[in-house]
Amino acid sequence: MRLSRYFLPVLKETPSEAQIASHRLMLRAGMIKQAGAGIYSWLPLGFKVLRNIENIVHEEQRRAGHIPMLMPTLQSADLWRESGRYDDYGEEMLRITDRQGRDLLYGPTNEELITDIFRAHVGSYKDLPMTLYHIQWKFRDEIRPRFGVMRGREFYMKDGYNFDLTKEDALHAYNRHLVSYLRTYERMGLQAIPMRADSGPIGGDDTHEFLVLAETGESEVFYDKEITDLKFGDREIDYDDRAACQAVLEEFTSRYARTDETHDEQAFDQIPEDRRRVARGIEVGQIFYFGTKYSEPMGATVQGPDGKPVAVHMGSHGIGVSRLAGAIIEASHDDKGIIWPEAVAPFHVGIVNLKQGDSETDSACEALYSALTALGLEPLYDDRDERAGGKFATMDLIGIPWRITVGPRGLKNGVVELTSRRSGENEELSPEDTIEKIAAIFAEVDLPGKGV
Ligand code: P5A
């Protein structure tokens, strides 16, 4: 992309309504624009990041054997009356009446709708196990939407639902989700710690939230410091291997880690004092096992091996896709701006032309642009007739992980400058060596593909 042809409305001023770094930087970098309280438009740069996050989520869901689909944002109130949640859900539910007087709602989650699909089409235990998921906008009429996309009213969520014959099978689905979530967050450059939590309006007793530690997080968390040394890393896992998934669950959940809702002071005091941590975290996902809470009242049964109907065991599993854009920035920025992890960066490499209009400099930039594109990477070429300082500030603000600076003086010596946004380190290299080095860096990165 050439910056002269792009739409990147960066702000010079720090917006006064933004209280935390990610909100401030998303507004300043021209990623989002508020459309209403807790409702945002995703401008081109923000949209690219959102899509990258979404595509990583899709790829990891499919790797775990889960099936993508798409359900609508509007749902019929009648389904929620069947489960009993229409009245229980309270003021967070946005209720709508259509011209026929029918009660609708903007879905805050989809347990009822997916259970209705399941009961209409699945009749035998032989069709199980099954996990369906989608990535779709949700609406929760939060009393205090804040921090930009972190606590929105409209937000983008991946929500998946498992259907199993037995509790044991459903707990394997729970473990499978835990494993795939660990992998998902690490691919985005995040450490998200599973913590025992409360199930709230979704229900059930088994639930873990995934928290990214950050001072600006909304949840208070209590944990054993040892848990922060755990990495999922690049291990290969067979998602059908129950013992392997169970072992990962045990590894990542055996140490004390809880949100304030389930915190137990006595158990916490058992941890050696120097390992006890009280901190704050951003909830980027949650997994639930709730058994037959929805299948029983809604009649989602299958014929079991003995011919008798059995209510299926279910769980649901959510990732805050739009919230993740903010969480990644909270975890990765400095006073100049965002520092994108390579895997979610909106552009992989920035090219800064120090003397636009100088034919040699222009053609060196064009050659780098073509070479990067040929590697399958997306460069952002700042080809505007602007001062170097302004160009650098923009690249730093929007967080492009690598920058190539091209000017007549360097070219005379056969070099350009390669700068790492994260470390700030500079290196003078020939254009060919620069491309080679970038290729080597990105060969190590599991970049998202084009989604489903
Ligand atoms: C699991 C999937 C559920 O709704 N039903 C379907 C279950 N879980 S949850 O924990 O309530 O939400 C899942 C994730 O969505 C994100 N999230 C939000 N993101 C931005 N703004 C909000 N207001 C908001 N509410 C929830 C969180 O990341 C949460 O973990």
Side-chain angles (χ1 to χ4, degrees):
M1 178 57 64
R2 285 163 170 76
L3 202 40
S4 62
R5 299 186 200 168
Y6 201 46
F7 178 55
L8 183 71
V10 297
L11 305 179
K12 290 229 163 52
E13 308 299 323
T14 299
S16 59
E17 74 267 29
Q19 298 162 29
I20 62 171
S22 58
H23 188 193
R24 225 166 18 240
L25 290 170
M26 287 180 86
L27 292 169
R28 284 197 51 215
M31 289 180 64
I32 53 170
K33 179 175 185 323
Q34 186 170 13
I39 305 174
Y40 290 87
S41 299
W42 291 75
L43 305 182
L45 191 79
F47 181 57
K48 282 177 83 68
V49 173
L50 189 69
R51 277 285 175 266
N52 287 340
I53 294 171
E54 176 179 2
N55 290 344
I56 289 176
V57 171
H58 269 304
E59 284 173 19
E60 294 306 324
Q61 285 304 302
R62 293 169 72 196
R63 195 192 301 275
H66 305 159
I67 308 168
M69 60 178 294
L70 186 60
M71 289 175 270
T73 52
L74 295 186
Q75 302 181 24
S76 153
D78 288 340
L79 279 179
W80 288 66
R81 291 195 176 103
E82 281 188 54
S83 72
R85 280 209 296 182
Y86 190 62
D87 294 325
D88 290 355
Y89 214 92
E91 304 230 84
E92 269 193 19
M93 182 186 277
L94 182 64
R95 295 156 207 260
I96 301 160
T97 309
D98 72 11
R99 62 161 74 183
Q100 317 286 358
R102 281 183 295 239
D103 292 328
L104 301 173
L105 55 99
Y106 192 135
T109 177
N110 283 50
E111 281 78 7
E112 285 77 359
L113 195 52
I114 196 84
T115 305
D116 182 51
I117 292 168
F118 181 88
R119 71 179 170 186
H121 297 292
V122 183
S124 164
Y125 76 96
K126 291 181 190 149
D127 297 323
L128 307 182
M130 186 187 288
T131 295
L132 300 167
Y133 78 93
H134 73 161
I135 302 181
Q136 176 62 293
W137 294 95
K138 305 287 184 288
F139 196 96
R140 293 182 185 173
D141 201 354
E142 302 274 352
I143 192 151
R144 259 202 331 148
R146 56 183 188 154
F147 301 158
V149 301
M150 289 280 212
R151 179 161 299 276
R153 292 201 300 161
E154 191 186 42
F155 61 98
Y156 207 37
M157 190 206 285
K158 170 262 159 180
D159 42 323
Y161 305 85
N162 68 282
F163 299 91
D164 287 280
L165 184 62
T166 64
K167 175 171 182 179
E168 197 190 22
D169 294 349
L171 290 177
H172 171 56
Y174 186 90
N175 297 350
R176 205 172 56 231
H177 279 88
L178 182 128
V179 175
S180 74
Y181 280 23
L182 290 171
R183 205 175 191 288
T184 302
Y185 298 123
E186 279 192 19
R187 252 186 95 178
M188 296 174 192
L190 282 179
Q191 179 174 40
I193 304 171
M195 299 200 183
R196 192 151 276 291
D198 182 64
S199 66
I202 307 293
D205 296 328
D206 288 282
T207 184
H208 282 92
E209 281 181 7
F210 288 78
L211 286 116
V212 173
L213 298 174
E215 274 168 31
T216 50
E218 291 191 280
S219 316
E220 188 173 29
V221 296
F222 302 82
Y223 61 95
D224 177 342
K225 170 186 135 338
E226 275 195 344
I227 204 163
T228 56
D229 298 333
L230 298 176
K231 294 261 173 317
F232 186 76
D234 54 9
R235 50 183 118 169
E236 287 295 327
I237 188 141
D238 173 358
Y239 282 104
D240 290 331
D241 183 338
R242 290 180 180 226
C245 291
Q246 174 72 22
V248 174
L249 172 106
E250 281 167 18
E251 180 185 344
F252 280 83
T253 61
S254 59
R255 290 171 188 78
Y256 191 94
R258 296 188 184 198
T259 62
D260 54 357
E261 299 152 343
T262 58
H263 179 52
D264 173 349
E265 203 66 51
Q266 261 184 349
F268 190 56
D269 288 347
Q270 307 290 309
I271 309 167
E273 202 175 346
D274 64 323
R275 287 185 3 216
R276 276 178 234 158
R277 292 289 182 280
V278 181
R280 301 199 71 79
I282 303 165
E283 181 205 326
V284 291
Q286 188 163 2
I287 54 177
F288 301 82
Y289 163 72
F290 42 68
T292 57
K293 173 175 168 162
Y294 300 90
S295 57
E296 233 161 70
M298 295 183 68
T301 57
V302 292
Q303 197 176 44
D306 58 1
K308 294 199 182 114
V310 193
V312 287
H313 285 257
M314 292 173 59
S316 70
H317 315 276
I319 293 183
V321 175
S322 49
R323 177 178 286 182
L324 271 166
I328 294 168
I329 298 174
E330 284 302 320
S332 185
H333 69 272
D334 62 15
D335 51 9
K336 291 192 236 156
I338 303 166
I339 307 173
W340 290 116
E342 275 86 353
V344 296
F347 295 97
H348 304 112
V349 183
I351 304 172
V352 170
N353 184 333
L354 292 179
K355 197 164 185 197
Q356 201 67 44
D358 173 73
S359 64
E360 209 185 325
T361 314
D362 290 357
S363 61
C365 288
E366 293 293 341
L368 285 164
Y369 191 98
S370 307
L372 290 166
T373 309
L375 288 176
L377 299 175
E378 249 189 297
L380 179 66
Y381 172 22
D382 193 342
D383 60 344
R384 297 168 307 163
D385 192 10
E386 294 251 340
R387 289 155 49 105
K391 291 189 173 186
F392 293 150
T394 300
M395 288 293 178
D396 285 347
L397 173 64
I398 68 174
I400 309 304
W402 296 92
R403 188 185 81 209
I404 307 175
T405 310
V406 186
R409 213 174 323 147
L411 286 177
K412 221 170 257 157
N413 301 321
V415 295
V416 296
E417 195 177 61
L418 179 64
T419 309
S420 156
R421 174 69 183 89
R422 192 168 290 281
S423 70
E425 275 167 33
N426 281 319
E427 212 180 343
E428 289 199 331
L429 295 168
S430 69
E432 297 71 32
D433 288 350
T434 305
I435 295 297
E436 209 167 288
K437 177 147 186 189
I438 297 270
I441 290 163
F442 281 93
E444 298 293 308
V445 182
D446 197 359
L447 290 176
K450 298 279 171 226
V452 278

